[in-house]
Amino acid sequence: MNFEQLGITAAEPVSGGCIHRCYRATLFGRAVFLKVNDARLADAFAAEADGLAALRAAGCTAPEPLSHGAAGASSFLLMEFLELKSRGDFAALGKMLTALHRRQGERFGWARDNYIGSTPQANGAYESWTQFWRERRLGPQVALAKRNGYDIDAGNVAELLDGHAPAPSLLHGDLWSGNAGFLAGGAPVLFDPAVYYGDREADLAMTELFGGFPPEFYSAYGPLPAGYEVRKHLYNLYHLLNHLNLFGGGYLGQVKATLRFLADAL
């Protein structure tokens, strides 16, 4: 990509995900964070900018999206650069998430479709949370896994949501430990969202995947309704299926073990 087209005078590669190429760059003398990928992923960057704006509007600390678009054969997202650490005030992070989840919508979904990783995530609205989870989350991932050659049968596990009627809370949507960080003073920051209105438990469930968060985070967030200890596996099945579809068969064992657990819980 020709960085000068964007007004960038310097760019240094940095870590920032497994999908995009990431840089700490200088734009008109200001440090910025730049993500770059093929032009076909321009909408993914537009969706990410939309999600960051939604988090910020809800009172969360998140990088400010500056611009996004396509330049030649590449697409890009420019955002505020924040110097982050992996450890900080996890209790404050729990309280930030509580405040985010207090922002509620009229229905489950979001105003636009977005992406979970590079996988399209449909957000057409539903009144029913069970129907939304079945039609907009679990069903598409299972269908994609079958197209990718995996023998996956989710059966009727979505019935575990029958009788569960959560409020449509604003979710980060992809909240694992790699998508949260801390400023030098310990204040929490959220990034890489896949926002929508859904069951707040879905965000909490994902925090328990891939290493989890420390106890002070969960203590600060507060208690969850009865049944969460089962439902969290249904919510995390979505993310395990997505990792299977994105990264291959190394996740197949976890997917099948989760399906067995859920089938036994019915």
Side-chain angles (χ1 to χ4, degrees):
M1 178 175 201
N2 185 349
F3 294 132
E4 293 180 358
Q5 289 180 283
L6 305 179
I8 290 172
T9 54
E12 175 186 357
V14 294
S15 61
C18 52
I19 296 172
H20 309 297
R21 302 185 299 280
C22 299
Y23 302 87
R24 177 174 180 165
T26 302
L27 178 69
F28 304 123
R30 175 187 181 183
V32 293
F33 192 79
L34 171 65
K35 290 186 174 183
V36 178
N37 213 310
D38 298 339
R40 63 184 176 82
L41 291 179
D43 187 62
F45 287 141
E48 183 175 347
D50 172 74
L52 289 170
L55 292 179
R56 289 169 59 85
C60 295
T61 302
E64 178 187 5
L66 302 175
S67 65
H68 59 84
S74 299
S75 59
F76 68 92
L77 171 63
L78 268 172
M79 68 185 84
E80 174 186 15
F81 182 88
L82 298 175
E83 195 76 55
L84 298 178
K85 306 183 299 179
S86 61
R87 308 295 297 180
D89 191 342
F90 278 96
L93 179 60
K95 293 175 182 177
M96 180 187 289
L97 192 64
T98 298
L100 176 66
H101 290 167
R102 289 197 182 111
R103 297 293 184 106
Q104 296 180 358
E106 296 181 356
R107 295 184 294 175
F108 300 101
W110 190 242
R112 61 159 293 154
D113 294 341
N114 48 30
Y115 299 81
I116 186 74
S118 60
T119 306
Q121 179 170 265
N123 288 319
Y126 280 88
E127 300 285 347
S128 162
W129 171 243
T130 301
Q131 189 177 7
F132 179 89
W133 191 259
R134 182 187 292 115
E135 300 296 329
R136 298 299 193 201
R137 293 294 179 265
L138 198 56
Q141 289 286 355
V142 170
L144 181 57
K146 289 180 178 177
R147 291 197 298 274
N148 287 335
Y150 299 108
D151 180 21
I152 299 295
D153 181 6
N156 57 349
V157 295
E159 291 182 3
L160 288 166
L161 296 178
D162 289 351
H164 180 56
S169 296
L170 182 56
L171 306 187
H172 177 282
D174 194 9
L175 189 55
W176 66 291
S177 58
N179 286 345
F182 300 90
L183 299 173
V189 178
L190 296 175
F191 47 91
D192 287 353
V195 298
Y196 65 99
Y197 289 109
D199 182 2
R200 65 193 180 105
E201 292 181 8
D203 262 356
L204 270 294
M206 196 184 186
T207 67
E208 298 191 44
L209 272 178
F210 313 126
F213 289 6
E216 55 266 34
F217 166 82
Y218 301 99
S219 296
Y221 183 88
L224 290 165
Y228 167 73
E229 290 299 323
V230 171
R231 288 190 296 270
K232 70 181 182 182
H233 296 284
L234 178 61
Y235 295 149
N236 284 341
L237 176 60
Y238 173 66
H239 297 292
L240 291 171
L241 282 165
N242 188 50
H243 276 67
L244 174 68
N245 286 319
L246 286 175
F247 306 120
Y251 290 92
L252 185 59
Q254 280 180 278
V255 167
K256 291 200 168 185
T258 301
L259 283 168
R260 288 193 297 271
F261 172 86
L262 295 171
D264 290 343
L266 281 170

